[in-house]
Amino acid sequence: MTATTAPPQAPAPAPAPPRGRTKDAKAKANAKAPDPIAELAAAHDLTLSGARPTLPRYIAQLWTRRHFVTAYATARMRAQYSEASLGQVWHLVTPLLNAAVYYFIFGLVMHASRGVPDYLPFLITGVFVWDFIGSSINASTRAVQGNLGLVRALHFPRASLPLSTVVQLFQQLLVTMGALFILLLAFGQSPSPNWLLAVPVLLLMAGFCAGCAMIMARVGAKHPDISQLMPFVLRTWMYASGVMWSIDKMLKDDHLPHWITSALELNPAAVFIDLMRFALIDSFKAGQLPPHVWLIALGWSLLVGVGGFVFFWKAEEEYGRG
C-alpha cells in the first residue's frame, strides 16, 4: 500500500489594511519626507515671489521706502503742470476758480450766504479742504492700475503708490493753505492762537485720506471702471458736506429726520471742514460744531487710516496680476 500525501496548500493572503490607515500612513510618510527645494530656499533666505509679507514686515518695508514715496510724489507734483504756462500756479488757481463759481451760484443766485457771517472765508476754506479730500480719493482709484508697468517690473510695497498720491496732494494743500491764510487776512480775519489748531486738523485729515486712498486703490485695481463712477459719488458727497452752505444753520431751520441729522453731523468731510473753519474764521464758533467733534475726527482718522491700510495689505500679492 502506498501512502498518499496531500498537496501543499498556498498560504492564505494577509488581510488588507483598512483604507483609512493606508491613507494615513502615506500622509505621514509624505509629511516626514523633506522637501529639498524648500530646504535650499530656507538656507539662502529665499521667499516665494510675490507672496504677501506679514503685516509688521510690510510696515518695515514701507518705512525703508519712505524716501521713494516722497520723491515720487514730488516728481509727480512738478510734472503735473509742467507743460502749462502758469506751471505750479495752477495748484492755487484751480481751487480759487472753483470758489468763485460756487460763490456766484450758491452765494449770489441761491442765497446760501444768508445768515452765514464771513461767507467768503467760509466758502474758500471749505473749497480748499474739500479739494484735498476729493482729489485724494479720486486720484487713488488709478494709483495701482495706472502704474502697472512699475508694479510688474519692480518689487516694492504696493501701498507706496496710493500713499505717494496722498503725499503729492498734501504738498499741494500746504501751498494752498499759505495762500488761504493771506486771503483770510485780506477778508478781515485776524490771526489768533486758534490758527494753530489747523495743524492737528491737517494731520487727522491726512490720516483719513490715506486710508481712503488705499481702500480705493485696491478697489480700482480690481474694478478699473470705478474711476469713471467716482466723480459722481464725490460730487454728491461734496454737496452733503456743507462746502457751500452751513450744515448748522440748515439743521436749525429744517425739521429733518434724526438719521439724516446724524449722518450730516458725522460726515467725515463735514467734520474736517468745520474744524478748519473753527480754527481759522473768527465768526465760526464752537457752538456750530457737532458734540465731541475732536473725538469724531480722531475716530475717523484711526478707523479709516488703519482699516484702509490692512484692507490694502490683504491683497498685496494680487496687484499687477491678471
Side-chain angles (χ1 to χ4, degrees):
M1 249 179 110
T2 59
T4 59
T5 58
Q9 296 181 355
R19 268 185 156 180
R21 291 183 183 177
T22 305
K23 290 182 180 179
D24 292 343
K26 289 182 179 179
K28 289 180 180 179
N30 292 334
K32 291 179 181 179
D35 186 352
I37 298 179
E39 290 181 348
L40 183 63
H44 293 275
D45 197 22
L46 300 178
T47 58
L48 183 64
S49 176
R52 183 183 68 195
T54 62
L55 188 57
R57 184 175 177 83
Y58 189 70
I59 296 173
Q61 291 177 356
L62 192 59
W63 175 252
T64 59
R65 288 164 176 83
R66 63 192 182 277
H67 301 297
F68 162 74
V69 173
T70 54
Y72 187 50
T74 304
R76 289 177 58 184
M77 185 180 71
R78 291 175 178 172
Q80 185 174 1
Y81 297 111
S82 59
E83 298 181 0
S85 300
L86 295 179
Q88 302 302 315
V89 178
W90 281 107
H91 294 315
L92 175 61
V93 173
T94 301
L96 285 177
L97 289 177
N98 287 333
V101 173
Y102 297 148
Y103 177 73
F104 175 75
I105 295 175
F106 292 92
L108 299 180
V109 177
M110 301 183 67
H111 304 293
S113 59
R114 289 180 180 175
V116 181
D118 299 317
Y119 182 72
L120 267 175
F122 176 93
L123 175 64
I124 294 173
T125 304
V127 170
F128 277 39
V129 173
W130 171 257
D131 187 62
F132 171 65
I133 296 175
S135 298
S136 297
I137 296 172
N138 189 44
S140 297
T141 58
R142 300 179 297 274
V144 175
Q145 196 67 20
N147 292 280
L148 284 180
L150 189 64
V151 170
R152 290 170 177 170
L154 301 175
H155 178 69
F156 63 96
R158 309 312 188 200
S160 303
L161 297 174
L163 287 179
S164 68
T165 299
V166 177
V167 171
Q168 172 196 349
L169 294 169
F170 191 76
Q171 291 173 341
Q172 297 176 12
L173 177 64
L174 294 180
V175 174
T176 57
M177 287 299 294
L180 176 61
F181 293 148
I182 297 174
L183 290 172
L184 291 177
L185 292 173
F187 288 125
Q189 303 300 308
S190 54
S192 68
N194 228 31
W195 282 25
L196 296 176
L197 292 176
V199 175
V201 177
L202 288 173
L203 295 177
L204 291 173
M205 189 167 55
F208 171 78
C209 289
C212 288
M214 286 183 282
I215 292 173
M216 296 312 303
R218 175 176 172 178
V219 175
K222 190 171 183 62
H223 307 286
D225 289 345
I226 195 70
S227 62
Q228 306 300 323
L229 180 64
M230 285 312 298
F232 304 98
V233 175
L234 291 173
R235 192 174 299 121
T236 304
W237 189 10
M238 179 185 67
Y239 292 145
S241 300
V243 175
M244 295 80 65
W245 48 276
S246 172
I247 293 179
D248 176 68
K249 181 178 178 298
M250 191 201 70
L251 293 181
K252 288 180 180 178
D253 295 344
D254 295 334
H255 300 285
L256 297 173
H258 178 70
W259 69 271
I260 295 181
T261 302
S262 300
L264 290 173
E265 289 181 343
L266 296 176
N267 177 358
V271 167
F272 293 123
I273 290 172
D274 282 348
L275 279 176
M276 190 63 75
R277 287 168 174 162
F278 171 68
L280 301 179
I281 302 176
D282 299 337
S283 58
F284 199 95
K285 303 300 181 182
Q288 297 174 252
L289 297 172
H292 314 293
V293 64
W294 285 102
L295 288 177
I296 295 173
L298 178 62
W300 277 119
S301 183
L302 291 177
L303 176 66
V304 178
V306 176
F309 183 79
V310 174
F311 178 74
F312 185 90
W313 161 74
K314 282 185 173 293
E316 177 72 10
E317 69 272 15
E318 300 175 11
Y319 302 124
R321 299 188 177 183

